Amino acid sequence: MKLVLSGNEAAAYGAMLARAEVISAYPITPQTKIVEKIADLIADGRFKTEFIKVESEHSAMAACISASLVGARTFTATSSQGLLLMHEMLHWASGSRTPVVMVNINRAVAPPWSVWADQTDSIAQRDTGWIQYYCESCQEVVDTIMQAYRVCEDPRVLLPAMLSEDAFFLSHTSEIVDLPPQEELDAFLGTYEPDVRLDIDNPRSFGSLSMPHQWYPEFRYKIQEGMEHAVEAIERVDREYGSLFGRSYGGLLDLYRCEDADTVIVAAGSMCSTIRAAIEELRSEGVKVGMARIRVFRPFPTEAFRALAKDVRSLVVLDRSFSMGSEGAFFSEVKAALYPLSDRPDVRGFAVGIGGRDITIETIRSIITDSLRPDTGITAQKWVGLRRCEE
Amino acid sequence: MNEKTWKEIPIGGLILDAGNAAEYHTGDWRTERPVHILDKCKHCMFCWICCPDSAVIVKDKKMVGIDYDYCKGCGICKDVCPFDAIEMTIEGTED
């Protein structure tokens, strides 16, 4: 069935098609429509789920973790300040090994107040032990929610995942979305059956204490082991989804026109569609450029970047976020992934689109022109398009 | 000896047996030890009511001693005793 859906509505349909059994969420611009659409679907009798109303995002995540421990498939959605308020519980979700799936609308962090696209909110959750997907289209949102549940509920993974959509550019853009038949999705997903669950007839100890000489590092190491399994699971599930439903997204790193490329742009989120258009223009002018879209940031696509680096001269990394006192996380991590290679491509970094500032084809073209200049020895990340007097 | 490795433990900080808190002797945390002076004790049970760790041992309606496996040495029993029948001593010294 094909419907015209915004990125927010696609998230609500994704939760319904995945048959999320418990949903707890708190509304926040620009995510509000997800919660409203879920409420509509429930009111229309189309979506059988338990919606738990809560007083904050912190409580929403606490409710999802508890429901997941019982064995329910759980879903939530948030954005920006709400995601930041959840931070403590994000660690609890991964540490408790609950496969919660969440949609986050990438919105800038205050102050100054801004509701527009910026990936600082989710990048700031990098170390919480969550799998992180970044979506480019409304179709990818639905497909990735399905894939995420399969990956997260894999007994060798058992970790939560957040899917990010850029505020407005994706959350409020409507596109034709193909929804696969429910029976086929049911067969693809199955039901969530944890080996151990909260059960009053069979009590266990959850959220226990571990002294330094006991098991703390071992429990943490097992989270990393789950992330390592997730690399394989994300690739496998994406391929399987592609064979069943005709759409797959390159696993962790989505490569576009990289086969003969000298220069490859690295980016994530909605700007990637603009980058594709810019690449078409540049290609028609004879510039051999491609794109490596970071579809999954955690686990990081280290091996995929190393494989890509063998054949390209330079990587141009675009961050829609910035780590104050350092540089954008994508820029840092791409360089770190390539460090062990003896023959490394040149890596240049640009902070772009901060706080929802528009990224046009012209923006991408100017970045490429800038990065094609001979190496000046300056490797610091540049902030693109700052309003300042010309020197 | 416990020969488990990280591979054998469950995930998620989970403990598969219930009711295992009893195996953890929180009395190890104690720096001061309450000592029961039986001659002064009138078995009023104030200490038994007030002890936050249920570490006052009662048999046949008589206060007979303190369960040092779980007594954390907070001294509440000494404070509430109307008969000075409990004294605190520094752990590790002779009574």
Side-chain angles (χ1 to χ4, degrees):
Chain A
M1 179 173 57
K2 285 184 180 174
L3 294 176
V4 175
L5 298 177
S6 68
N8 276 338
E9 291 166 332
Y13 272 89
M16 180 174 76
L17 292 170
R19 296 195 189 276
E21 293 163 293
V22 174
I23 298 175
S24 186
Y26 191 86
I28 179 171
T29 301
Q31 157 269 31
T32 310
K33 185 69 187 181
I34 300 176
V35 181
E36 288 176 351
K37 190 68 198 177
I38 287 170
D40 282 348
L41 293 170
I42 294 170
D44 290 347
R46 298 173 63 192
F47 190 3
K48 304 273 185 257
T49 189
E50 187 78 29
F51 189 97
I52 304 173
K53 282 181 268 189
V54 281
E55 74 284 3
S56 77
E57 287 84 356
H58 191 279
S59 301
M61 184 48 62
C64 287
I65 293 166
S66 307
S68 187
L69 285 174
V70 172
R73 183 171 287 159
T74 59
F75 180 83
T76 187
T78 189
S79 177
S80 184
Q81 314 295 132
L83 183 65
L84 302 185
L85 183 57
M86 262 184 198
H87 180 75
E88 182 198 1
M89 300 317 291
L90 297 184
H91 286 276
W92 270 102
S94 61
S96 305
R97 308 301 294 271
T98 50
V100 179
V101 171
M102 166 164 66
V103 168
N104 175 61
I105 307 300
N106 278 129
R107 162 187 149 179
V109 168
W113 284 112
S114 166
V115 295
W116 291 277
D118 187 300
Q119 293 167 351
T120 300
D121 56 354
S122 57
I123 296 294
Q125 314 310 322
R126 177 176 67 171
D127 301 335
T128 56
W130 280 61
I131 293 166
Q132 285 199 7
Y133 286 95
Y134 287 81
C135 294
E136 187 186 348
S137 69
C138 301
Q139 181 70 62
E140 192 185 1
V141 170
V142 171
D143 295 337
T144 304
I145 288 172
M146 300 306 142
Q147 293 188 15
Y149 278 113
R150 263 291 293 275
V151 170
C152 294
E153 293 170 4
D154 185 321
R156 285 158 61 85
V157 178
L158 282 178
L159 286 169
M162 70 176 78
L163 287 67
S164 282
E165 306 180 29
D166 282 334
F168 298 102
F169 294 122
L170 196 55
S171 69
H172 286 64
T173 296
S174 294
E175 296 176 327
I176 296 171
V177 176
D178 178 27
L179 304 176
Q182 183 71 62
E183 323 77 74
E184 292 176 30
L185 289 174
D186 289 346
F188 171 73
L189 268 185
T191 54
Y192 176 46
E193 302 292 346
D195 285 344
V196 178
R197 63 177 83 201
L198 268 180
D199 178 1
I200 52 171
D201 295 326
N202 189 9
R204 319 272 194 177
S205 299
F206 293 82
S208 52
L209 170 84
S210 184
M211 293 292 194
H213 67 279
Q214 293 170 325
W215 295 105
Y216 189 88
E218 288 76 14
F219 279 122
R220 303 304 288 184
Y221 183 72
K222 286 173 93 77
I223 299 174
Q224 168 60 11
E225 189 195 28
M227 274 288 180
E228 286 165 10
H229 290 314
V231 173
E232 179 275 324
I234 290 165
E235 303 272 4
R236 170 170 44 80
V237 168
D238 186 43
R239 278 196 305 273
E240 185 186 332
Y241 193 90
S243 70
L244 289 170
F245 303 110
R247 289 181 300 272
S248 62
Y249 298 91
L252 284 79
L253 195 63
D254 181 17
L255 302 180
Y256 179 69
R257 303 202 69 171
C258 287
E259 309 77 38
D260 61 340
D262 297 324
T263 301
V264 169
I265 305 170
V266 178
S270 61
M271 75 168 91
C272 294
S273 296
T274 310
I275 293 169
R276 289 177 204 271
I279 287 172
E280 291 310 309
E281 283 192 13
L282 288 159
R283 284 267 175 182
S284 71
E285 296 159 19
V287 184
K288 287 186 174 176
V289 59
M291 176 176 69
R293 179 172 71 96
I294 296 180
R295 178 171 182 249
V296 177
F297 177 54
R298 280 291 180 274
F300 194 73
T302 304
E303 290 308 320
F305 269 114
R306 287 179 187 164
L308 174 70
K310 287 192 181 116
D311 303 319
V312 299
R313 262 210 313 267
S314 71
L315 294 175
V316 178
V317 184
L318 310 188
D319 278 278
R320 198 168 207 150
S321 68
F322 199 84
S323 175
M324 300 302 165
S326 180
E327 57 193 12
F330 292 169
F331 187 36
S332 291
E333 299 214 8
V334 168
K335 286 187 291 184
L338 303 185
Y339 183 77
L341 304 181
S342 53
D343 187 19
R344 294 186 294 264
D346 183 30
V347 184
R348 311 233 182 153
F350 297 85
V352 62
I354 303 294
R357 186 158 292 181
D358 206 9
I359 300 168
T360 63
I361 290 175
E362 199 45 54
T363 316
I364 304 300
R365 290 183 61 107
S366 69
I367 288 169
I368 292 298
T369 306
D370 192 359
S371 61
L372 287 177
R373 288 197 192 113
D375 190 355
T376 55
I378 300 165
T379 54
Q381 194 168 23
K382 284 188 180 173
W383 285 57
V384 176
L386 281 186
R387 291 169 56 173
R388 56 185 168 194
C389 298
E390 290 305 316
E391 285 145 33
Chain B
M1 276 299 290
N2 192 340
E3 297 291 341
K4 268 191 215 167
T5 73
W6 66 269
K7 289 182 180 173
E8 284 89 50
I9 62 168
I11 59 168
L14 192 68
I15 302 174
L16 296 173
D17 315 313
N20 51 63
E23 294 165 25
Y24 186 18
H25 291 171
T26 44
D28 290 354
W29 303 3
R30 195 174 54 244
T31 55
E32 286 186 63
R33 182 169 72 251
V35 178
H36 182 219
I37 302 156
L38 188 57
D39 293 348
K40 294 186 182 177
C41 180
K42 301 286 189 286
H43 306 286
C44 68
M45 299 295 150
F46 274 23
C47 60
W48 177 77
I49 289 168
C50 293
C51 176
D53 283 299
S54 303
V56 172
I57 305 167
V58 172
K59 273 189 186 142
D60 300 327
K61 299 184 181 176
K62 301 278 187 190
M63 192 299 201
V64 295
I66 289 159
D67 185 346
Y68 292 116
D69 281 350
Y70 302 107
C71 166
K72 299 197 188 89
C74 69
I76 289 174
C77 54
K78 179 220 165 221
D79 283 1
V80 299
C81 179
F83 309 107
D84 296 327
I86 292 174
E87 287 176 2
M88 300 302 288
T89 61
I90 299 296
E91 196 57 64
T93 60
E94 293 300 312
D95 292 343

